[in-house]
Amino acid sequence: MLDKNRTKRTTVWDVFNQVYKKIIGWGRKYSLWPAHFITGCCCPEFMQVAGPRYDMERFGILPLPSIRQADVLVIIGVLTRKMARRVKMLWEQMAEPKYAMAIGACPIDKGPFYDSYSVVRADEIIPVDVYVPGCPPRPEAMIQGFMILQRKVEEGV
Amino acid sequence: MRISWGPQHPMSGQVRILIDTDGERVLNIIPDIGFTHRGIEKILENRNVVQGIVPIERMVMVDTANIALSYVRAAEEILGIEPPKRAQYIRVILCEVCRILSHLYGFGLAAEACGGYPAVFLWTTADREPFLDLMERITGTRWSYSFFVPGGVYADFPDKIKEKFLATLDYFEQRLEAYRRAWFENKIFEARAKNVGILKPEDALRLGAAGPNLRGSGVALDVRKDEPYEAYDEIDFKVVTRPEGDSYARLMIRYLEMVESVKILRQAIENMPSGPYRKFVSPLRRLPKGEAYTRVETARGEIGVHMISDGGTKPYRVKIVSPTLRNLYVVSQMPKISEVLLADVPVILYSFDPWYLDADR
Amino acid sequence: MVEATESKILETIKSNFLQDIEEAEVLRPKRISITVKSEKIVDVARFLKEKLNFDYLLSVSAVDYIKENRFQIIYYVLSSKNKIVLLLRTNIPRDKPSVPSLISVWEAVDYHERETWEMFGIVFEGHPNLTRLLLPEDWEGGHPLRKDFKLSSSEGV
């Protein structure tokens, strides 16, 4: 009689799978390419993160023009209803695996515009993976957000 | 053919620009704004005059001091108080640093639009860092300071950073020289921007261009000289104009205004008087009935805040007269007043330095 | 032209449009405010532009005086020669809000009158393109800056 609770013996295939996942995870997390897309007023701080002092390209983050080849959709700044339709269209055009980040207090929970008639939260539109609070968040906070996303990418492979 | 230059684009910003073309010639430019409309005017009816500083300064993040100043001055005019002299000098310092930050930003984006020169864009990003460090020492944050209040400023100017400030200004003057040599004397920039998008002075006044765009066509209107506010009447500087009216002249004006801002900063730091920095005004104080219209010269043009109060703690109506909305109308009329080719559209648009959050409010 | 002061300008306007001016005052140095009847606003505006050098239009807005059942429309005009700002006001009833457009006088009112229509519901007769400017294309919620439009703290998309 076969005992179903017996632990499976480790095979060559399992070892190969572990190594394969590690390499894919390393490759994916160090080349997260966001699409060129800004929605609100946190954008100058994002430009400073892309600048020479807080260089984000050393983490492999390179903004990319085409949405179909992008990995991350970064919502930087306030998200209004008019822009939310476009965000939904962009999210549906992206290829798997795709991730989303909400940077700033406004896409998380409307920020200083909490009673506005035209501002929406980002996770009412798309499923968000990482939230970076702040108004605007410090560059170190944005980089930490990207590093949390990198860990999530590596573990999720 | 209609081209939709949309919100997801490396160089478009938060706007959709519809361009009707016939071959290479542009027939119509239609800006479709409203992607960042937050309803600030409605929100400000629900905030008292100290709470209202937070939403309004996020109208233009690079230029927060000038925008917040217009709202705070409107509140002060209704309340009938005048800030102390030291506070006026501190306000001038913050406003001029924000003017430099904003011109660096607009000028870096224009350089990238004119030829895809990420080098100049990254130089401007790097040159903003010393000023952001100074702002952090004075106010506590890098952007969106919330530092101006009705009655003065929140905290005192730390005198021990005067030397660091002056050293930063010396470094920045060297950088301005580098920009002049690398960019303004660059043959490619001259070929792309000279004689492109010419705006004559009578068209500039008729269509409502604002700020450096008006001065780039020879019209010398600058609120800092026409109606001096804060400490500008005690500081010596000149209003920069250029007669040509093309995109090169408009970008040159921004460069020359940065040179003037450095002069203003030096004078303000050296002549700062001592004394109190704030007259305390309670945020729960009832505003007297009345109205006030203030004008402040921001980096993009003249902003106006019309505040009407009916006697409560919150204003009845706040109207913000935005400079970028006026500039965008001029851009949309450009194909009718001069010949515009398809490749000139980004150059013209970025020479007007639009910031769409300011047009949308 | 000789530099005109604020009171001289007011005298010239009052002597030309005696019965159409409801109120005219100097608010403070360099600020004038006049209130005219809404039928005569185009004539007064043309006089201001051609005879008194008020050539630069800053903006257009409106105020909702719901308790007195009226709207007040305000045109902000600057004289580039004298550096004086004039607030040209007119009152219209709240139930039938319509006023002649000033687009034949100052071309730059285009976007501003569109925005005032969108936010308050005031029809500017003669405007060639009274369509949406800031709100999304499928906005159904009414006119936001009216006083009976209440802000709520959270709404769905």
Side-chain angles (χ1 to χ4, degrees):
Chain A
M1 301 273 266
L2 283 173
D3 185 3
K4 290 194 181 89
N5 289 334
R6 186 182 57 161
T7 51
K8 236 165 61 103
R9 214 178 297 151
T10 312
T11 60
V12 174
W13 175 250
D14 290 326
V15 171
F16 174 72
N17 219 9
Q18 291 261 34
V19 171
Y20 172 77
K21 275 192 183 161
K22 265 210 157 29
I23 297 179
I24 295 286
W26 171 85
R28 276 193 187 153
K29 82 173 188 185
Y30 282 134
S31 72
L32 279 172
W33 286 0
H36 264 286
F37 184 59
I38 33 171
T39 57
C41 47
C42 283
C43 56
E45 193 70 295
F46 194 69
M47 309 253 178
Q48 298 297 120
V49 177
R53 189 195 265 189
Y54 306 100
D55 185 8
M56 66 180 183
E57 211 173 310
R58 60 195 157 124
F59 297 97
I61 301 166
L62 179 71
L64 185 76
S66 166
I67 187 68
R68 290 224 184 243
Q69 298 169 354
D71 302 308
V72 189
L73 184 64
V74 188
I75 308 214
I76 308 171
V78 70
L79 190 63
T80 60
R81 292 189 188 201
K82 196 166 177 180
M83 192 65 111
R85 243 188 80 202
R86 273 71 176 179
V87 168
K88 187 102 190 134
M89 281 197 262
L90 290 173
W91 180 251
E92 283 160 10
Q93 281 181 9
M94 284 169 75
E96 292 281 348
K98 55 188 179 186
Y99 307 94
M101 250 176 98
I103 292 188
C106 292
I108 298 177
D109 203 5
K110 302 187 189 177
F113 310 106
Y114 56 86
D115 51 355
S116 164
Y117 51 83
S118 144
V119 176
V120 298
R121 293 183 4 228
D123 48 19
E124 290 171 10
I125 318 286
I126 55 175
V128 176
D129 293 300
V130 178
Y131 301 87
V132 183
C135 192
R138 277 200 65 105
E140 292 95 348
M142 289 193 201
I143 294 181
Q144 194 195 5
F146 275 110
M147 289 170 79
I148 292 178
L149 185 64
Q150 283 175 342
R151 201 162 18 120
K152 193 168 182 176
V153 165
E154 189 180 19
E155 286 167 8
V157 172
Chain B
M1 184 172 77
R2 173 163 273 200
I3 302 177
S4 167
W5 184 19
Q8 194 271 310
H9 189 278
M11 282 304 291
S12 77
Q14 302 98 330
V15 73
R16 183 167 77 122
I17 309 246
L18 298 163
I19 308 175
D20 291 327
T21 64
D22 172 25
E24 279 287 317
R25 208 162 51 90
V26 171
L27 303 168
N28 233 344
I29 300 178
I30 304 168
D32 180 18
I33 55 177
F35 286 96
T36 51
H37 175 65
R38 295 155 285 182
I40 289 188
E41 296 183 0
K42 185 81 181 179
I43 289 178
L44 287 174
E45 294 174 11
N46 207 17
R47 308 263 194 279
N48 63 43
V49 287
V50 174
Q51 289 172 328
I53 297 171
V54 171
I56 199 170
E57 71 184 357
R58 277 146 177 83
M59 219 170 90
V60 182
M61 188 73 104
V62 270
D63 198 12
T64 56
N66 289 306
I67 312 275
L69 186 64
S70 58
Y71 181 77
V72 165
R73 281 178 47 94
E76 284 178 348
E77 200 173 309
I78 291 187
L79 287 165
I81 51 180
E82 172 99 10
K85 265 288 168 205
R86 189 175 170 91
Q88 291 182 0
Y89 272 82
I90 299 176
R91 286 177 175 184
V92 165
I93 291 179
L94 256 64
C95 284
E96 289 305 312
V97 171
C98 281
R99 195 181 310 274
I100 292 180
L101 291 175
S102 177
H103 280 325
L104 277 176
Y105 183 87
F107 170 60
L109 278 182
E112 191 154 7
C114 280
Y117 282 90
V120 177
F121 177 64
L122 288 173
W123 281 5
T124 61
T125 309
D127 283 334
R128 285 204 286 279
E129 291 290 342
F131 286 107
L132 292 174
D133 285 341
L134 286 170
M135 290 292 104
E136 197 172 349
R137 287 293 304 275
I138 301 176
T139 67
T141 78
R142 289 154 58 95
W143 312 87
S144 67
Y145 317 124
S146 299
F147 197 62
F148 299 154
V149 271
V153 290
Y154 246 137
D156 203 0
F157 184 84
D159 283 324
K160 40 192 174 162
I161 67 164
K162 276 191 184 173
E163 285 169 14
K164 184 162 180 224
F165 215 125
L166 294 170
T168 309
L169 291 176
D170 292 332
Y171 164 74
F172 188 59
E173 282 184 327
Q174 290 174 358
R175 298 295 302 152
L176 282 175
E177 185 58 31
Y179 284 121
R180 191 183 61 80
R181 275 182 295 130
W183 191 239
F184 284 102
E185 297 179 358
N186 190 333
K187 296 263 181 304
I188 300 181
F189 180 48
E190 288 182 4
R192 276 214 79 179
K194 274 204 166 152
N195 295 325
V196 164
I198 296 184
L199 190 65
K200 299 203 215 39
E202 49 285 349
D203 283 334
L205 282 173
R206 176 178 62 97
L207 297 172
N213 313 310
L214 196 58
R215 295 195 279 279
S217 297
V219 182
L221 281 178
D222 187 333
V223 184
R224 297 175 290 169
K225 282 283 188 200
D226 300 338
E227 247 188 70
Y229 53 91
E230 303 303 319
Y232 280 110
D233 45 359
E234 297 171 12
I235 295 182
D236 177 39
F237 66 101
K238 58 180 184 5
V239 174
V240 185
T241 60
R242 303 283 295 188
E244 301 104 19
D246 56 4
S247 301
Y248 187 86
R250 287 190 280 271
L251 290 169
M252 192 70 185
I253 293 259
R254 295 191 162 86
Y255 169 80
L256 293 170
E257 280 194 359
M258 283 200 274
V259 174
E260 291 295 314
S261 288
V262 170
K263 281 193 216 152
I264 297 176
L265 280 169
R266 278 194 206 279
Q267 290 174 51
I269 292 175
E270 261 141 44
N271 303 337
M272 189 177 319
S274 53
Y277 58 87
R278 185 174 178 188
K279 267 186 213 159
F280 184 74
V281 171
S282 160
L284 298 174
R285 180 165 147 184
R286 283 187 177 272
L287 296 170
K289 238 173 125 96
E291 60 175 340
Y293 181 83
T294 51
R295 304 164 66 192
V296 164
E297 183 77 25
T298 72
R300 279 167 183 79
E302 174 194 326
I303 190 179
V305 169
H306 186 203
M307 193 187 284
I308 301 178
S309 143
D310 64 343
T313 53
K314 302 179 182 170
Y316 189 76
R317 168 91 168 104
V318 178
K319 161 75 184 169
I320 306 168
V321 175
S322 133
T324 304
L325 196 60
R326 311 203 292 273
N327 286 331
L328 282 177
Y329 183 69
V330 183
V331 170
S332 73
Q333 302 296 305
M334 265 299 178
K336 302 194 170 78
I337 56 178
S338 71
E339 162 124 22
V340 176
L341 299 176
L342 189 58
D344 297 334
V345 174
V347 177
I348 294 176
L349 186 66
Y350 280 97
S351 76
F352 278 88
D353 198 4
W355 182 275
Y356 304 100
L357 285 118
D358 172 10
D360 295 340
R361 280 154 286 140
Chain C
M1 191 177 135
V2 173
E3 282 259 358
T5 63
E6 294 84 340
S7 15
K8 242 200 300 187
I9 294 180
L10 279 182
E11 287 310 314
T12 323
I13 301 175
K14 275 199 261 206
S15 60
N16 271 291
F17 291 95
L18 205 47
Q19 60 271 40
D20 302 315
I21 305 272
E22 293 171 13
E23 251 181 73
E25 53 173 346
V26 178
L27 297 171
R28 56 157 251 208
K30 303 221 183 234
R31 304 275 185 272
I32 313 178
S33 159
I34 59 175
T35 313
V36 303
K37 295 207 177 85
S38 59
E39 310 85 52
K40 284 294 193 173
I41 196 169
V42 185
D43 300 325
V44 175
R46 197 160 281 137
F47 179 77
L48 286 171
K49 177 173 176 192
E50 286 161 10
K51 302 284 189 309
L52 290 174
N53 283 118
F54 280 98
D55 47 357
Y56 186 80
L57 182 98
L58 286 164
S59 188
V60 182
S61 92
V63 188
D64 183 7
Y65 290 106
I66 189 169
K67 295 206 177 108
E68 300 161 29
N69 204 21
R70 65 179 166 109
F71 281 128
Q72 183 176 81
I73 303 176
I74 312 180
Y75 286 84
Y76 305 90
V77 204
L78 171 72
S79 161
S80 57
K81 221 175 256 222
N82 307 323
K83 328 271 199 258
I84 295 177
V85 174
L86 181 128
L87 276 67
L88 175 65
R89 306 170 123 131
T90 180
N91 290 313
I92 53 176
R94 205 169 180 272
D95 343 15
K96 279 174 57 77
S98 113
V99 77
S101 161
L102 290 187
I103 199 161
S104 52
V105 180
W106 291 297
E107 196 186 314
V109 296
D110 193 343
Y111 285 178
H112 307 286
E113 284 186 346
R114 268 171 80 181
E115 186 196 333
T116 311
W117 166 77
E118 192 177 33
M119 294 287 153
F120 285 91
I122 299 173
V123 175
F124 289 89
E125 293 149 8
H127 193 283
N129 185 22
L130 222 51
T131 54
R132 298 233 166 272
L133 188 71
L134 298 178
L135 292 170
E137 301 90 359
D138 47 358
W139 176 262
E140 295 283 336
H143 298 287
L145 275 174
R146 289 193 175 192
K147 285 291 178 183
D148 44 6
F149 183 98
K150 296 284 178 218
L151 288 172
S152 61
S153 57
S154 68
E155 280 177 322
V157 180

